[in-house]
């Protein structure tokens, strides 16, 4: 079936057309309009500006995705849309547009959870990937482990109790004066640090893997440690917030911080695999684009004798194709939305509306 899917949960206005069938998945188009340049001026996403930028972009992005796919609107069998979690104003733009489109085409509207969507990007890596699998989702808002026993049935096994990994990467990058968003710049800087062996210095960064029986993470201690280290260096060298830090020091921080992140995440991943016995592992989310995390997770999964599925970097960040893939499985499970479909900022508020039956979502 042909699904047109819209994603607008944060600062990317995205639309894709995907063709999905049992054991066969194809991306016909995947248009992403990024607002990064706009938000870079403020050093972070400004929600009000993001909503307005989505309004400006959405019909153009959808039109482009349809054109590139080379389909007629009448070929579309269903419309998928991200409805939670994310920035509420941003989500509402995609949800409203998707509702109107589905209604005018007379096709089903499929609500998709953004995090399930990230995981579904992995379906494009292999036509044979099917649940059950273990999903490690590392993004700007999430660092979580899920047992995925059916394509729509996710059980949270562990999660961050405070900041997400991406958030911590961005914050440390920002304080070091790296371009927004800091994650990708930290990746490159850490590579130089690793090459120079700077992750094995005398500084021991705290682990984000919580030292208890859970599979939970905490990134706030690691983030604060790095920020203190940076402030101390500035004071020692008599540098203001505007002055550039020495390159050598920045590489040391990026490498040490990244090593702590990858070690912490892989240790809980390993524990999760041992406890649950899943043989297939999916790594997904924006931070799954991190070269060091990809390498560390691949090494861990191979040592455990399991199979790893990681989306190509182009499908790690927010995009419509991943939403289209998850929409297909939601469709097969009978999940539909009516005109009352709303947007929810958090998984918790979405779940509360689900329990109350006020979210416009139903099953056929
Ligand atoms: O999944 P995503 O696009 O949006 C959310 O759902 O949150 O993730 C965005 C996050 C940002 O924090 C960004 O800095 C981070 O992913 N990111 C990276 C890399 N590329 C993107 N973090 C570390 N290394 C990267 N190469
Ligand atoms: Zn995302």
């Amino acid at each position: 079936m042909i699904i047109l899917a819209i994603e607008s949960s944060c600062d990317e206005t995205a639309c894709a057309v995907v063709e999905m069938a049992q054991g066969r998945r194809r991306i016909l188009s995947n248009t992403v309009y990024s607002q990064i340049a706009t938000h870079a001026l403020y050093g972070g996403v400004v929600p009000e500006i993001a909503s307005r930028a989505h309004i400006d972009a959405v019909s153009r992005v959808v039109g482009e995705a349809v054109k590139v796919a080379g389909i007629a609107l009448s070929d579309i069998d269903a419309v998928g849309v991200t409805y939670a979690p994310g920035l509420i104003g941003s989500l509402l733009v995609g949800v409203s547009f998707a509702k109107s489109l589905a209604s005018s085409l007379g096709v089903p509207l499929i609500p998709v959870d953004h995090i399930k969507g990230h995981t579904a990007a992995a379906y494009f890596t292999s036509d044979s990937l099917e649940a059950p699998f273990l999903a490690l989702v590392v993004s700007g808002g999430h660092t979580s482990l899920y047992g995925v026993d059916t394509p729509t049935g996710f059980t949270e096994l562990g999660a961050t109790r405070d900041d997400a990994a991406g958030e911590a990467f961005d914050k440390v990058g920002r304080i070091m004066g790296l371009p927004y968003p800091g994650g990708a710049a930290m990746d490159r800087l850490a590579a130089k640090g690793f090459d120079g062996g700077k992750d094995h210095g005398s500084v021991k960064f705290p682990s984000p893997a919580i030292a208890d029986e859970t599979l939970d993470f905490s990134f706030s201690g690691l983030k604060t440690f790095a920020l203190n280290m940076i402030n101390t260096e500035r004071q020692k060298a008599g540098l203001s917030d505007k002055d550039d830090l020495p390159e050598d020091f920045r590489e040391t921080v990026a490498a040490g911080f990244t090593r702590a992140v990858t070690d912490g995440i892989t240790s809980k991943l390993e524990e999760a695999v041992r406890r649950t016995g899943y043989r297939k592992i999916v790594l997904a989310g924006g931070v799954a684009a991190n070269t060091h995390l990809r390498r560390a997770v691949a090494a861990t999964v191979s040592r455990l004798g399991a199979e790893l599925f990681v989306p190509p970097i182009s499908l790690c960040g927010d995009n419509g194709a991943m939403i289209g893939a998850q929409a297909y499985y939601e469709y097969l499970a009978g999940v539909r939305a009516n005109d009352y479909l709303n947007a929810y900022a958090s998984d918790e508020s979405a779940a509360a509306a689900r329990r109350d039956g006020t979210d416009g979502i139903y099953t056929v």
Side-chain angles (χ1 to χ4, degrees), residues 81 97 134 138 215 229 257 289:
V81 66
F97 197 94
L134 183 87
V138 194
L215 296 171
M229 194 174 156
F257 180 87

Side-chain angles (χ1 to χ4, degrees), residues 183-201:
M186 285 282 282
D187 193 341
R188 291 189 291 273
L189 205 53
K192 291 189 196 155
F194 288 138
D195 284 347
K198 291 180 186 146
D199 54 319
H200 295 303

Side-chain angles (χ1 to χ4, degrees), residues 7 9-10 12 85 114-115 118 137 139-141 285-286 316-319 322:
E7 153 64 40
S9 66
C10 190
E12 261 100 25
H114 182 74
I115 300 305
H118 268 301
V137 181
S139 74
C316 287
D318 294 345
N319 66 85
M322 67 185 202

Side-chain angles (χ1 to χ4, degrees), residues 135-221:
L136 168 59
V137 181
V138 194
S139 74
H142 283 69
T143 307
S144 310
L145 283 156
Y146 299 95
V148 183
D149 293 316
T150 68
T152 56
F154 283 51
T155 307
E156 189 180 278
L157 305 173
T160 180
R161 295 189 192 164
D162 39 57
D163 301 339
E167 211 177 337
F169 265 116
D170 291 348
K171 187 73 200 261
V172 173
R174 182 178 170 177
I175 301 297
M176 288 210 291
L178 304 182
Y180 169 82
M186 285 282 282
D187 193 341
R188 291 189 291 273
L189 205 53
K192 291 189 196 155
F194 288 138
D195 284 347
K198 291 180 186 146
D199 54 319
H200 295 303
S202 53
V203 193
K204 175 95 185 82
F205 285 72
S207 172
I210 294 181
D212 65 7
E213 289 307 298
T214 70
L215 296 171
D216 288 346
F217 303 98
S218 165
F219 288 88
S220 74

Side-chain angles (χ1 to χ4, degrees), residues 50-65:
S51 312
R52 288 169 185 272
H54 283 303
I55 291 274
D56 285 345
V58 68
S59 45
R60 188 164 36 83
V61 168
V62 173
E64 168 86 7

